[in-house]
Amino acid sequence: MNKLLSKIARVGIVTETFKPLTDPELDRLGAELKATIDGRFAGSLAIRQVDAGSCNACELEIAALGNPFYDIERYGVHFVASPRHADVLMVTGPVSRHMQAALRATWEATPEPKWVVAVGTCAADGGEFGVNYASCGAVGNVLAVDAVIPGCPPTPADLVRGLLSLISR
Amino acid sequence: MSAIRTAVDEERFVVAERLRRKLQSLGTPAFCPEESEAGSVGPALLCPIGPDDWALAAEAAAAQGCRWAAGWGDSQGESWVVNALLEKSGDYLLLRTVLPPGRNDLPSQTPHFPGAARPERHARDLLGLDFTGHPDGRRWIRHQAWGEREFPLRPDFPLAGHPLAVTAPDRGYGFASAHGPEVNEIPVGPVHAGIIEPGHFRFLAVGETVLNLEERLGYVHKGIEKLAEGRDPESLARLAGRVSGDTAVGHAWAACQAMERAAGVEPPERALWLRASFAERERIANHLNDIGAICNDTAFAFGYYQFSRLRELWLRDNLRWFGHRLLMDRIVPGGVAVDLPEEAASGMPAAIAALRRELDELKPILDEGTIFQDRVVGAGVLPERIVRELGCLGYVARACGIGRDVRERAPHAPYDRLGVKAVVRGDGDVAARLYVRYGELLASLDILEECLRRIEPGPLRTDWHDPSEHAEGLGLVEGWRGEIATYVRFDGTGHVARFFPRDPSVFNWPALEKLILGNIVPDFPLCNKSVNGSYSGHDL
């Protein structure tokens, strides 16, 4: 236990403000994000992430938002297990045809009002896979999309920026 | 072999006998040179077999203790060419049969190699090959996105297919079931509760204890094999890097190695050391991720935050030095796309030392965490027998005492100069898989240091030249999950005619169905994370 406590003490808090990752605009968006979430979402924005056919790279970067550097929960942003608890569906991948019905069912299970965010180049435009016998391509081909965060994969900083701009509309 | 002698006619015995001799000679440094007239594909000796002997060959190979490493079909003109890759002690043998025009059936090898079950179902769904005697007639990769009698990898099937506006969800798969007042059926997925890939798990549980688990995969099938057809080498490398996003380096390397062997292109020395550096950096990032996730699944938040912190630092170095956090598109045909910048050459030793120091500090904390140990020790035990039957790979095999590691057993450049020793443990449980990965973190740091010491100035890339028609090659690389085997065949114009990447997950997914038995349902996430199969790399 001593080792554990001393490790905690020595590492300290590494959570970053997003200043080094971007420009003053992001600070403004960060403040707006918090205010918007406080006002419109009672202090908490719930995201249900759905992998609809990605190669898993986008998932790795979305999951990284939970690491102590980004700690996205400090903005009131939470990843939830059920679409019924979600305000936002964050969808990755070209939508595989085998996931098309499951994605639609997930969308239908999400209460209004809801936003759909397409994350990653594949979700944005089909990426390396495009539209084919097994892939519907962009998420927009299956659901109405409210925001797109491109990148292959988008970095955690890109994801924060994209979310901020969606929320601050 | 006497059973075979009585079971078959004389002509077929000759084939089996030849195979037996070939198989027997595997493992010797002189790789049956007297029979090398059969040729080779990449590093594998080619062994032509008549279609009717397909099962017999598998039986003989199984009796010789070979591992079934991959299987795929390929259409050439009017005929089907079917391949099965076997391995023993680091030597590879490629069984190949050509079906006469009009014929699409051949005997299944699954009765002799249980690990062949899903790959044969994959080939059946995509090519329409009929493996007679296969114990499982259910579709596997085909859900409902194309018709029962349509086969996407056949030349007459257009890449666009004939899709309906909405693809119906998969129904009527025919999961194993059990009846009784005590048995609960628990369906999970395809949309999972976390930030992970989609797939379906069907549990049968008595109380909390898992009686049976059946996986239903194929949800992220996005037509990779078909999409590869007609690509140029550069574009294939890009696609290969997205077979499984966490293995961008491993798959791109295997694909480039296959293409280079087909074309007779040798990447320059400097590129080889950089490729190995990228591969080890990828291994380290993923092991850090999974060790953290295993901690998280035991509610050991401290461990999750520490390891995810170390991973993030590592990925930032990737971005700063090599331009991409996950190192996508850094390996290209003939070499690498980025150099080792001066900043990396001077900064990496300190980053390596820092990570090693932190790992040394964190290990006793894991060891002494009694609640953590209570969850991981004895959970999800995989018997060694299952590893051998299924041909499991990577840390899943190495945690059961089987030191399968391409870097040690079939080392390609530059590993042939490094003397990598596989990290092995014997208990086969979650803890063993975790500590194998821990050992591999430290070993990879050593390899990275060695790469830095050995790398010399030089070109990054060899000029590409188009291979001849039907030129083919096999890439064999130890990805972070285990052996990746990738086959590439070219057409007459320098474009890809066939691409088949085989991720190690293909053989580790079925192991999860076995190691979970008798464990409690709440330990499933933990057991699953300790294996961490790729969905995308499996579904293709």
Side-chain angles (χ1 to χ4, degrees):
Chain A
M1 187 55 84
N2 280 344
K3 282 189 185 121
L4 188 149
L5 292 175
S6 94
K7 181 77 184 166
I8 291 171
R10 271 177 296 128
V11 170
I13 294 171
V14 299
T15 307
E16 291 173 340
T17 64
F18 278 96
K19 253 190 208 141
L21 296 174
T22 176
D23 48 288
E25 198 200 352
L26 196 55
D27 292 339
R28 184 181 58 76
L29 287 176
E32 263 182 51
L33 167 73
K34 196 81 183 79
T36 314
I37 289 178
D38 286 347
R40 290 169 63 178
F41 298 95
S44 155
L45 181 80
I47 302 178
R48 177 66 262 237
Q49 193 271 334
V50 184
D51 175 347
S54 94
C55 73
N56 195 33
C58 289
E59 277 60 41
L60 293 172
E61 294 296 51
I62 294 168
L65 290 173
N67 78 35
F69 287 92
Y70 304 100
D71 186 24
I72 187 113
E73 294 211 353
R74 68 187 146 138
Y75 296 128
V77 176
H78 305 279
F79 284 90
V80 294
S82 168
R84 297 193 193 283
H85 305 155
D87 305 301
V88 172
L89 282 187
M90 185 179 263
V91 188
T92 61
V95 180
S96 75
R97 296 198 186 273
H98 289 165
M99 276 301 288
Q100 190 183 9
L103 175 61
R104 287 199 65 89
T106 306
W107 183 82
E108 279 157 18
T110 311
E112 297 278 358
K114 55 192 166 194
W115 283 331
V116 174
V117 184
V119 167
T121 300
C122 294
D125 64 13
E128 202 61 40
F129 305 97
V131 177
N132 67 49
Y133 78 92
S135 163
C136 305
V139 174
N141 294 344
V142 177
L143 297 178
V145 168
D146 298 287
V148 173
I149 305 175
C152 188
T155 64
D158 296 335
L159 291 165
V160 173
R161 274 190 213 103
L163 269 180
L164 295 182
S165 64
L166 169 76
I167 291 285
S168 307
R169 275 181 194 173
Chain B
M1 294 303 290
S2 58
I4 291 175
R5 184 189 290 273
T6 56
V8 299
D9 60 41
E10 195 54 32
E11 192 195 345
R12 290 176 63 193
F13 174 72
V14 172
V15 175
E17 185 61 23
R18 208 175 85 210
L19 171 69
R20 189 184 64 78
R21 285 207 310 276
K22 285 191 177 186
L23 295 171
Q24 264 183 340
S25 70
L26 286 174
T28 62
F31 192 18
C32 38
E34 73 282 2
E35 302 200 26
S36 58
E37 83 281 353
S40 62
V41 177
L45 186 80
L46 189 61
C47 182
I49 300 281
D52 294 325
D53 297 318
W54 196 241
L56 187 72
E59 185 179 348
Q64 295 294 322
C66 287
R67 172 173 65 89
W68 197 92
W72 67 95
D74 191 0
S75 74
Q76 290 187 16
E78 300 284 285
S79 303
W80 293 109
V81 178
V82 185
N83 302 278
L85 183 67
L86 303 168
E87 181 264 350
K88 192 182 178 189
S89 311
D91 286 320
Y92 290 84
L93 182 76
L94 188 65
L95 300 181
R96 172 169 289 176
T97 193
V98 181
L99 299 180
R103 178 173 171 182
N104 68 345
D105 67 288
L106 78 169
S108 169
Q109 296 191 328
T110 299
H112 307 291
F113 289 107
R118 287 178 181 177
E120 284 186 350
R121 290 167 74 189
H122 178 95
R124 188 176 58 203
D125 288 352
L126 294 178
L127 289 156
L129 292 171
D130 183 13
F131 293 93
T132 53
H134 194 293
D136 192 340
R138 294 172 299 172
R139 61 183 189 267
W140 180 237
I141 291 298
R142 187 189 81 82
H143 291 187
Q144 311 290 341
W146 63 94
E148 192 93 43
R149 303 303 307 161
E150 288 185 305
F151 303 104
L153 283 183
R154 289 191 174 179
D156 60 359
F157 187 94
L159 174 61
H162 315 283
L164 302 168
V166 180
T167 301
D170 192 38
R171 290 195 201 285
Y173 179 64
F175 288 97
S177 63
H179 300 285
E182 308 289 316
V183 184
N184 297 305
E185 195 170 328
I186 310 170
V188 180
V191 177
H192 289 153
I195 303 172
I196 51 169
E197 300 180 84
H200 185 84
F201 300 109
R202 189 66 62 97
F203 295 91
L204 297 174
V206 176
E208 284 197 292
T209 306
V210 178
L211 187 68
N212 192 57
L213 165 64
E214 196 169 353
E215 296 155 0
R216 176 80 185 101
L217 302 177
Y219 286 92
V220 285
H221 174 72
K222 39 194 173 275
I224 287 174
E225 288 167 84
K226 186 84 175 181
L227 271 171
E229 293 173 7
R231 289 199 177 213
D232 60 33
E234 196 106 358
S235 149
L236 185 78
R238 229 173 20 247
L239 181 67
R242 285 154 185 83
V243 163
S244 177
D246 51 26
T247 319
V249 174
H251 275 289
W253 192 353
C256 287
Q257 202 186 70
M259 290 191 281
E260 287 153 9
R261 282 171 173 163
V265 170
E266 289 268 354
E269 192 66 13
R270 188 170 178 84
L272 293 173
W273 291 107
L274 279 166
R275 284 179 173 187
S277 304
F278 297 156
E280 299 310 320
R281 292 191 71 84
E282 178 171 272
R283 190 182 323 279
I284 288 168
N286 282 296
H287 283 347
L288 288 172
N289 200 40
D290 283 359
I291 292 172
I294 289 169
C295 290
N296 200 38
D297 283 341
T298 67
F300 189 36
F302 166 87
Y304 166 67
Y305 287 115
Q306 293 295 338
F307 287 100
S308 65
R309 175 178 63 87
L310 296 176
R311 170 187 161 86
E312 177 68 22
L313 291 170
W314 197 251
L315 296 188
R316 288 179 179 196
D317 283 349
N318 279 351
L319 179 65
R320 188 166 65 238
W321 294 332
F322 305 112
H324 195 280
R325 283 165 56 96
L326 305 181
L327 301 174
M328 279 177 166
D329 308 323
R330 308 298 104 167
I331 295 187
V332 291
V336 291
V338 291
D339 201 355
L340 179 77
E342 186 42 50
E343 193 199 349
S346 58
M348 217 191 291
I352 291 168
L355 179 54
R356 189 181 280 122
R357 202 165 50 241
E358 297 231 29
L359 289 171
D360 288 346
E361 212 173 275
L362 287 167
K363 181 149 181 305
I365 295 175
L366 293 187
D367 292 344
E368 292 163 18
T370 48
I371 297 172
F372 176 72
Q373 291 293 322
D374 188 49
R375 291 289 302 281
V376 297
V377 173
V381 175
L382 182 66
E384 187 200 317
R385 176 181 57 82
I386 303 282
V387 173
R388 295 199 185 277
E389 277 179 17
L390 294 173
C392 299
L393 294 165
Y395 47 78
V396 173
R398 296 196 283 270
C400 297
I402 300 174
R404 283 176 189 152
D405 189 322
V406 175
R407 296 172 300 167
E408 177 183 335
R409 292 196 176 183
H412 52 86
Y415 292 109
D416 52 353
R417 283 158 267 164
L418 287 174
V420 175
K421 202 85 190 80
V423 178
V424 177
R425 288 176 80 102
D427 293 335
D429 56 359
V430 171
R433 286 187 284 279
L434 179 115
Y435 284 114
V436 163
R437 286 152 173 265
Y438 220 100
E440 287 178 15
L441 283 172
L442 300 171
S444 289
L445 290 175
D446 291 345
I447 296 173
L448 273 179
E449 283 176 332
E450 195 63 26
C451 289
L452 279 175
R453 265 196 294 275
R454 303 255 197 130
I455 194 163
E456 301 276 351
L460 295 178
R461 204 168 171 178
T462 303
D463 284 341
W464 188 259
H465 55 80
D466 284 342
S468 57
E469 188 170 7
H470 299 312
E472 51 184 350
L474 197 60
L476 292 160
V477 165
E478 186 72 13
W480 70 275
R481 281 194 179 90
E483 174 201 77
I484 296 169
T486 296
Y487 172 79
V488 175
R489 179 172 65 83
F490 283 95
D491 65 13
T493 67
H495 293 83
V496 174
R498 183 77 172 101
F499 169 57
F500 178 72
R502 201 273 299 130
D503 190 83
S505 305
V506 168
F507 303 113
N508 290 348
W509 272 120
L512 179 63
E513 290 184 340
K514 304 295 181 191
L515 65 86
I516 193 64
L517 299 180
N519 286 258
I520 58 174
V521 175
D523 271 352
F524 176 70
L526 182 62
C527 292
N528 187 25
K529 186 48 84 174
S530 75
V531 174
N532 193 5
S534 163
Y535 296 74
S536 182
H538 168 281
D539 294 351
L540 297 183

